[in-house]
Amino acid sequence: MTESTLTGKSMDAGGTGETMIELTGVEKWFGDFQALKGIDLVVGKKETVVVCGPSGSGKSTLIRCINRLEVHNRGRIVVDGTELSDDVRDIQAIRRETGMVFQSFNLFPHLTILENITLAPRQVRRKPKKEAEQTAMDLLTRVKIPDQANKFPGQLSGGQQQRAAIARALAMEPKVMLFDEPTSALDPEMIKEVLDTMEQLADSGMTMVCVTHEMGFARAVADRVVFMADGAIVEVNDPETLFTSPQEQRTQLFLSQILVHPS
Amino acid sequence: MTTTDPATRTSEPAATPPSGGPTGMAWVRENLFPDVWNSLLTLTLGPLLAWGVYALGRFLFVTGRWEIITVNLTTLMVGRFPRDQLFRLWIAIAILAVVIGLALGVANSVARAAAVESGDDYHRPWHEPIRRFGPPVTLLIVMGVFVRTATPLLLLAAALGLAAVAYRLGRMIPIRRRGQVNLVVILGVIGAQLAITGFDGVPRSVWGGLLLTIYFTVGALLFAFPLGVAVALGRRSSLPVVRGTCMVYIEFFRGMPLVVLLFTGWLVLPFFLPPQFPTPDIVTRAMVILVLFTSAYVAEIVRGGLQGLPRGQREAAQALGLSPWKQTRLIILPQALRSVIPALVGQAISLFKDTTLVLAVGLTELLQVARIIPGQEDFRGQGLFAETLIFVSLIYWVGSYWMSRESQRLEAKLGVGER
Amino acid sequence: MSASTETSPSDRAHRPPFWRDVRIIRIALQVGFLVAVGALLFWLFDNLTVNLRVLGIRRDFGFLDQPTGVPILGSDFRAQSPIRDALLVGLYNILRVAVPGILTALVIGTLVGVGRLSTNWLVRRAAGIYVEVLRNVPPLVMLIFFYIAVLQQLPAQADSITAGPFALLNVRGVYLPSIQLSAGPAPVFFGVLGLALVAAIVLGVLRTRRFDATGQPHRRVPLGVLLFLGIATLGWLALGRPLGLQLPVIEGRGVDGGYRMIPEQAAVFIALVLYTSSFIAEIVRGSIQAVAKGQTEASNALGLSGLQRLRFVVLPQALRIATPSAGNEFLNLTKNVSLGVFVAYPELLRIGRQAVGNGFPAPQLLFIVSAGYLALSLGISLFTNLANRRLQLSER
């Protein structure tokens, strides 16, 4: 695959064809180490993009830059028409519109599940309490744990916690959902329940960027799969093509490594 | 995840690679006057601090009458220790310099080996020794200012030289022999005391000043450590009676103020011994109290370490068929103790500061000397307390600050906080 | 704790010989230990009674009713009053330093601890120096420094250092304003204060309800405080200023009015507050930093502002982490009041020590002093444990 077709594939908005997230020439340095080497990527509205690659390839850094948990050093990041800058107002605007789900859940341990979910809608979106709680219960029903609402995170299983975390992110009614290895910290039997929730979410038309190693999920749900290595995008394609006939050697090597031991 | 998950950074300007941070006026704006609130803080705090520095500097370099320190430097160091016997002290210092150098050398080679095993590259920034040894070197310089003849400085330099040679030597000792080195260190400490008290030497009752302070710190630690470990093991015993007794012991000594215990040891301890029994001298009584007191804290620290160990360690040892005592000695204790080293150093610092309290029972340790000398004939009525107290504060501060910095270094190296 | 010592279900026929039976070994070990400890304690106590008899010292606590023989510094205690009362004054004097000391150290420590995390370079450095200097100097050195080198060097009364009309500072003590009540309208004024408090709480509840219903910011704390202060001021003016500050004034050879802190008390207070606050500052800083980084990231990802993150996510968790160590520092401060004995501050130990010097029996007196301090210590740790349990419970 040549340079130009790669750029074409990664800059082609999927989904409805309208642009939701646009990254151009994004670079990120940790001291002398360059974690992102000029990333160009466009994510379209209602599109699901899966980012995969070996550990240390910069995929987590990439999506953490989108809502500014990491500050990119160069390049442009535009989310729903707002460009990320040093302006606090822009940062908060983008964070309000993007939900994020973490590998280690990061639920607030001192608050109940319901309080976890209603905190941001009430404090940030200024929603009335009743309405916020109603939304929260609806979301908990959607992720199939309505009876856990008044428990504390420590009392839930990992899978339940992660689904609560998804509900918490959805409660802000975001336009984009970012998933940072949401199933990596889970026991095998719990992975499926989280993936089902995510699949259901993608079907409902949410724009999603997922860092994950779950190839089954990528095949079933993703519109495009982005393969990264060493801080750069190596290959972008629809899942079927990328998994069955990868063009790049790095991709082939990576796929052979993870497909030998299907998990 | 390892490389993609560092701490969240504050904004850095874009460059290839981005430079370290803002310089000059940009730095001042960002760090001192970023907003109204911080500018106000800077403007109130700045002049206050400047005034404080000025007042302190003026006292230190202009108005302070430091000749009282010059005249009494030896007294501050050793109290009423006979001046014609000081050579014994230098012998002791030489012995200690050798064993401490040796021990540090071995510890260093162990650390290096560990670093090689775990694949860390063990390189140090050039300024690390300056940061590490800044406090004690400052103290030595201050002492040098007050010394009247060059002899003590030369002797001290010789001792440091000995320590350096021993350090080199220690690094060459193979690691598997470090058990023997521990023995040599203990023998050295005993030998150092014998060099002073033995062979028609100087009894502890006339020791004073910094010498007594260090003696109490080191002595109490040496005895309190094994006692504390024993009590901690008892506290974790499966036998309810043993567990309960050790708990009462720990809670009692931790609940009591040390001064009250010292007064008790001084005034009441003799009552608890048989009438025909000779009453132990004051230094021994104070030492006994310090040991009992410190051991309770050591026990509590070690108990924390024992509790923090994963259950699997004990179970694995049992599965190997080790006897309960061997499980504890070979598997449990080494790990538990390693994880509480920083806390134990903290306890040592605490003890170092607490030795000031032995003046309650009439011993002239460092602080008491500082309290007494402004009443000497030459200085009486001149109120030179600030000078002497600030000088001893510096000694305490350097000792305790240095130990705490070293323990932080150790903590980072052991990675204790990460478990 | 260890599985090897647990009893195994074995039927009677297969019981091992008793010297290999785990259950019997356990009992024997405990009985042996108990006998050894008991024998040691008995030996010590027996020596005590023998010694006291030989030396002709009384062995009961009857002396507590005898007159103390000396007055107590900084109080109107009379020398004829019994020792029992003197010891109670000593206990009270511990609390008189410990309680305000704990509160002050907590406030200063929190400010300094937060200051160490400030973005302002100067504040961060100043807070760092504060902590590193104060916690590495023995509290006794500080105490003696403040007593001898500062408070004892203050000018005589006639040349007192003044802070406006509010405070006086001289070699005889520190004088601060005290609160003065006028007998008539004062109780009415307290009624007004109560009313103001109720009004503020009602306002707070109403604002909270409005917030729940509409999501509009409630600002209940500033509004409530404003309402309280408003009503209180109006009531104060209407009742003819029933509550006033009484300022210390030099009157001839003494000082009239105000609250006097004798130099001994002031020295203990200052030294312990400085020392303890440096430790509390470290606890505050450590606890805030100990809140997992993921918590901050999650708050940011949800769009919470910096203040909201602190208020709803970081501080509640930091408080939980800090409670046990902070309680420990409160305990240390209380125990350290006993250092007052070195500057003759009449706390419990000093009173007991003085009585021993006046010929009263040392074992009993030191027993009482120990019991007093031990009771305070255990009381504080009990309180801390309860607070800790409450906070921890809210998680699970």
Side-chain angles (χ1 to χ4, degrees):
Chain A
M1 181 183 268
T2 62
E3 218 28 59
S4 60
T5 53
L6 162 63
T7 315
K9 283 253 164 73
S10 73
M11 297 302 278
D12 250 356
T16 62
E18 295 161 89
T19 302
M20 179 56 96
I21 305 172
E22 183 176 357
L23 295 97
T24 32
V26 172
E27 287 183 20
K28 169 69 188 171
W29 297 78
F30 294 117
D32 291 336
F33 173 74
Q34 192 172 13
L36 295 179
K37 300 174 178 165
I39 299 290
D40 296 312
L41 183 67
V42 169
V43 179
K45 277 189 182 145
K46 303 200 172 184
E47 189 186 8
T48 299
V49 172
V50 164
V51 184
C52 61
S55 69
S57 60
K59 49 195 194 308
S60 282
T61 310
L62 174 67
I63 73 165
R64 287 160 60 86
C65 279
I66 295 175
N67 66 348
R68 219 183 206 225
L69 291 185
E70 304 288 355
V71 180
H72 60 288
N73 302 113
R74 181 176 293 166
R76 287 166 48 110
I77 298 178
V78 181
V79 180
D80 198 24
T82 313
E83 180 173 357
L84 260 183
S85 64
D86 283 337
D87 189 337
V88 181
R89 205 183 292 176
D90 291 343
I91 297 173
Q92 289 303 81
I94 288 177
R95 282 176 174 171
R96 273 199 298 273
E97 303 306 334
T98 49
M100 186 164 203
V101 176
F102 299 88
Q103 178 179 3
S104 49
F105 328 138
N106 291 346
L107 289 171
F108 305 130
H110 61 297
L111 301 177
T112 62
I113 298 300
L114 193 65
E115 287 165 344
N116 261 286
I117 299 175
T118 55
L119 177 68
R122 292 185 65 199
Q123 299 296 336
V124 180
R125 291 248 190 251
R126 299 273 170 223
K127 270 197 185 179
K129 188 178 180 189
K130 276 247 171 61
E131 196 186 320
E133 288 184 346
Q134 192 51 53
T135 318
M137 287 314 296
D138 291 347
L139 286 169
L140 283 174
T141 314
R142 234 171 105 188
V143 300
K144 302 196 180 73
I145 44 170
D147 42 341
Q148 311 290 339
N150 292 312
K151 290 191 183 163
F152 287 95
Q155 296 168 304
L156 270 58
S157 74
Q160 290 172 328
Q161 286 194 48
Q162 193 59 297
R163 283 183 283 159
I166 294 174
R168 178 175 73 175
L170 289 175
M172 286 293 281
E173 292 160 14
K175 294 181 178 148
V176 183
M177 285 286 282
L178 307 173
F179 291 85
D180 186 1
E181 306 203 23
T183 54
S184 299
L186 295 177
D187 291 336
E189 72 268 25
M190 294 172 182
I191 290 177
K192 189 178 178 311
E193 60 192 46
V194 171
L195 291 181
D196 286 347
T197 309
M198 288 166 64
E199 189 169 344
Q200 184 196 344
L201 193 61
D203 291 344
S204 72
M206 174 63 76
T207 311
M208 291 169 48
V209 182
C210 313
V211 171
T212 181
H213 289 140
E214 298 298 332
M215 293 306 140
F217 172 80
R219 256 170 209 258
V221 180
D223 297 309
R224 277 185 299 161
V225 176
V226 176
F227 176 72
M228 284 182 73
D230 295 329
I233 294 179
V234 175
E235 188 166 354
V236 180
N237 223 325
D238 61 277
E240 209 44 50
T241 320
L242 189 110
F243 289 140
T244 49
S245 51
Q247 307 291 306
E248 301 287 321
Q249 216 173 358
R250 293 284 322 241
T251 321
Q252 288 162 7
L253 183 68
F254 176 73
L255 288 175
S256 71
Q257 277 165 347
I258 58 167
L259 292 180
V260 170
H261 305 288
S263 55
Chain B
M1 275 306 284
T2 45
T3 51
T4 54
D5 193 26
T8 317
R9 305 294 169 98
T10 48
S11 67
E12 280 167 326
T16 324
S19 61
T23 47
M25 284 311 289
W27 183 90
V28 170
R29 201 173 321 115
E30 193 164 300
N31 289 288
L32 295 177
F33 303 99
D35 50 44
V36 180
W37 162 242
N38 270 302
S39 307
L40 267 174
L41 267 179
T42 305
L43 288 178
T44 29
L45 204 61
L48 263 172
L49 280 177
W51 180 83
V53 169
Y54 167 76
L56 185 68
R58 201 174 124 80
F59 178 76
L60 288 184
F61 298 110
V62 184
T63 57
R65 298 185 46 202
W66 299 101
E67 64 270 19
I68 188 168
I69 306 292
T70 314
V71 173
N72 287 295
L73 191 61
T74 316
T75 312
L76 281 161
M77 292 301 110
V78 297
R80 290 187 293 122
F81 199 93
R83 299 300 188 259
D84 57 346
Q85 299 288 316
L86 282 178
F87 70 91
R88 291 172 175 275
L89 219 49
W90 286 110
I91 295 174
I93 289 176
I95 296 174
L96 288 177
V98 169
V99 293
I100 290 172
L102 208 62
L104 288 180
V106 172
N108 180 277
S109 64
V110 171
R112 272 162 178 271
V116 168
E117 270 170 38
S118 64
D120 297 342
D121 56 346
Y122 193 74
H123 79 98
R124 296 168 161 176
W126 62 271
H127 58 267
E128 202 203 61
I130 302 178
R131 284 180 61 91
R132 269 188 79 186
F133 299 106
V137 168
T138 313
L139 182 63
L140 281 182
I141 293 173
V142 170
M143 296 272 203
V145 168
F146 291 120
V147 164
R148 278 186 293 191
T149 63
T151 325
L153 286 183
L154 291 177
L155 286 170
L156 209 57
L160 282 176
L162 270 179
V165 171
Y167 180 77
R168 291 274 158 205
L169 223 64
R171 289 212 328 202
M172 287 188 290
I173 293 175
I175 291 172
R176 69 196 146 76
R177 295 202 177 250
R178 61 179 190 267
Q180 279 119 304
V181 172
N182 289 344
L183 194 70
V184 170
V185 172
I186 291 172
L187 284 179
V189 171
I190 295 171
Q193 186 180 341
L194 267 183
I196 306 176
T197 56
F199 317 109
D200 297 324
V202 184
R204 292 179 308 171
S205 53
V206 296
W207 293 16
L210 186 60
L211 169 65
L212 198 59
T213 296
I214 293 176
Y215 178 70
F216 274 125
T217 309
V218 176
L221 267 182
L222 283 182
F223 287 103
F225 180 69
L227 182 59
V229 171
V231 174
L233 289 175
R235 180 71 181 77
R236 297 276 295 164
S237 160
S238 64
L239 307 175
V241 170
V242 177
R243 204 164 55 219
T245 312
C246 291
M247 192 182 84
V248 170
Y249 178 90
I250 294 175
E251 293 304 321
F252 174 77
F253 282 106
R254 275 165 40 95
M256 289 280 277
L258 180 57
V259 204
V260 175
L261 286 172
L262 281 167
F263 270 113
T264 311
W266 182 34
L267 298 170
V268 184
L269 196 65
F271 285 111
F272 284 108
L273 299 172
Q276 66 276 14
F277 211 78
T279 309
D281 65 16
I282 298 269
V283 176
T284 309
R285 274 185 267 173
M287 186 68 100
V288 167
I289 295 295
L290 281 175
V291 167
L292 293 176
F293 180 77
T294 306
S295 69
Y297 285 83
V298 170
E300 192 62 10
I301 291 169
V302 173
R303 181 179 79 106
L306 290 172
Q307 239 162 9
L309 274 195
R311 275 182 71 89
Q313 290 298 318
R314 166 78 70 181
E315 285 165 3
Q318 280 167 352
L320 286 175
L322 294 176
S323 72
W325 168 239
K326 280 197 171 155
Q327 293 165 17
T328 303
R329 194 171 62 86
L330 298 175
I331 310 293
I332 305 300
L333 261 190
Q335 295 187 59
L337 290 182
R338 181 173 175 273
S339 71
V340 297
I341 288 174
L344 287 174
V345 177
Q347 192 51 46
I349 296 171
S350 206
L351 178 64
F352 176 58
K353 290 186 288 183
D354 280 342
T355 53
T356 48
L357 307 190
V358 300
L359 70 87
V361 296
L363 290 168
T364 42
E365 47 64 73
L366 187 54
L367 174 60
Q368 180 69 347
V369 177
R371 235 161 51 128
I372 290 173
I373 53 178
Q376 287 167 335
E377 231 166 278
D378 293 347
F379 304 106
R380 192 173 298 154
Q382 302 180 19
L384 298 184
F385 292 101
E387 283 83 352
T388 61
L389 287 170
I390 285 180
F391 180 75
V392 300
S393 297
L394 178 74
I395 296 181
Y396 283 115
W397 185 81
V398 166
S400 136
Y401 178 70
W402 195 39
M403 277 196 269
S404 74
R405 276 266 295 274
E406 286 296 296
S407 113
Q408 281 166 9
R409 239 175 55 86
L410 206 65
E411 198 171 338
K413 212 148 98 185
L414 292 176
V416 173
E418 287 153 29
R419 284 197 297 169
Chain C
M1 177 183 92
S2 84
S4 71
T5 48
E6 274 164 27
T7 53
S8 46
S10 50
D11 52 68
R12 203 153 295 192
H14 288 93
R15 285 231 63 90
F18 69 88
W19 65 88
R20 269 177 21 215
D21 188 327
V22 170
R23 286 190 240 179
I24 292 176
I25 292 175
R26 282 170 59 86
I27 293 171
L29 276 177
Q30 299 197 52
V31 169
F33 187 80
L34 210 58
V35 167
V37 172
L40 179 68
L41 289 180
F42 176 79
W43 182 71
L44 291 174
F45 191 73
D46 185 55
N47 285 335
L48 177 67
T49 43
V50 170
N51 277 318
L52 291 180
R53 198 169 48 233
V54 169
L55 295 169
I57 300 174
R58 61 186 305 163
R59 276 172 290 161
D60 60 354
F61 285 88
F63 68 92
L64 285 175
D65 294 324
Q66 294 177 8
T68 310
V70 284
I72 294 178
L73 204 60
S75 95
D76 41 17
F77 185 85
R78 283 167 306 131
Q80 305 93 293
S81 310
I83 299 237
R84 185 193 304 280
D85 294 355
L87 291 169
L88 284 176
V89 172
L91 201 61
Y92 168 69
N93 278 342
I94 299 178
L95 295 176
R96 211 154 68 139
V97 170
V99 173
I102 286 172
L103 294 176
T104 320
L106 188 60
V107 171
I108 297 179
T110 309
L111 289 178
V112 175
V114 172
R116 286 202 80 175
L117 299 170
S118 166
T119 49
N120 187 317
W121 181 85
L122 199 64
V123 173
R124 208 165 56 230
R125 277 303 151 103
I129 292 173
Y130 180 94
V131 169
E132 289 303 348
V133 167
L134 291 178
R135 70 175 186 155
N136 287 314
V137 175
L140 184 55
V141 176
M142 283 194 241
L143 171 59
I144 288 175
F145 180 84
F146 279 109
Y147 185 63
I148 302 185
V150 179
L151 294 168
Q152 297 255 299
Q153 310 297 325
L154 287 174
Q157 184 160 305
D159 312 313
S160 293
I161 300 169
T162 55
F166 296 107
L168 283 177
L169 201 60
N170 63 42
V171 73
R172 295 195 48 219
V174 180
Y175 298 84
L176 300 169
S178 60
I179 291 170
Q180 190 190 29
L181 305 171
S182 39
V188 186
F189 181 63
F190 281 122
V192 173
L193 285 187
L195 218 67
L197 190 66
V198 171
I201 291 173
V202 169
L203 180 73
V205 171
L206 288 177
R207 296 292 305 180
T208 309
R209 279 203 192 146
R210 201 173 108 83
F211 166 72
D212 287 349
T214 66
Q216 292 310 304
H218 48 62
R219 304 208 175 88
R220 57 191 171 201
V221 173
L223 286 175
V225 170
L226 223 63
L227 183 69
F228 177 83
L229 288 180
I231 296 179
T233 314
L234 283 178
W236 186 65
L237 289 173
L239 289 167
R241 307 179 180 191
L243 199 77
L245 282 185
Q246 197 187 30
L247 304 175
V249 181
I250 299 178
E251 278 287 337
R253 294 178 55 222
V255 171
D256 216 34
Y259 171 74
R260 177 186 177 208
M261 227 195 231
I262 54 173
E264 292 76 17
Q265 186 190 349
V268 178
F269 179 81
I270 296 171
L272 294 189
V273 163
L274 289 180
Y275 184 68
T276 311
S277 64
S278 69
F279 282 86
I280 291 181
E282 274 305 85
I283 293 170
V284 168
R285 178 179 76 110
S287 317
I288 291 179
Q289 284 179 333
V291 175
K293 214 182 66 204
Q295 296 289 309
T296 301
E297 292 188 345
S299 319
N300 285 339
L302 285 170
L304 295 178
S305 73
L307 230 78
Q308 287 170 334
R309 187 182 71 220
L310 219 58
R311 160 77 183 76
F312 295 108
V313 178
V314 177
L315 286 186
Q317 297 187 56
L319 181 69
R320 217 182 56 202
I321 299 170
T323 308
S325 352
N328 208 15
E329 287 313 318
F330 299 159
L331 180 65
N332 282 342
L333 188 144
T334 310
K335 287 195 297 179
N336 278 339
V337 177
S338 60
L339 297 184
V341 75
F342 294 105
V343 293
Y345 174 62
E347 46 68 61
L348 190 57
L349 177 61
R350 162 76 185 166
I351 305 259
R353 172 82 189 81
Q354 211 170 20
V356 173
N358 288 338
F360 292 103
Q364 287 95 317
L365 274 165
L366 276 160
F367 176 78
I368 293 173
V369 171
S370 306
Y373 269 105
L374 207 55
L376 284 178
S377 295
L378 294 181
I380 294 175
S381 13
L382 200 71
F383 182 76
T384 316
N385 284 345
L386 282 178
N388 196 28
R389 194 165 302 167
R390 254 191 79 94
L391 286 171
Q392 305 296 355
L393 265 182
S394 73
E395 189 188 350
R396 300 209 166 219

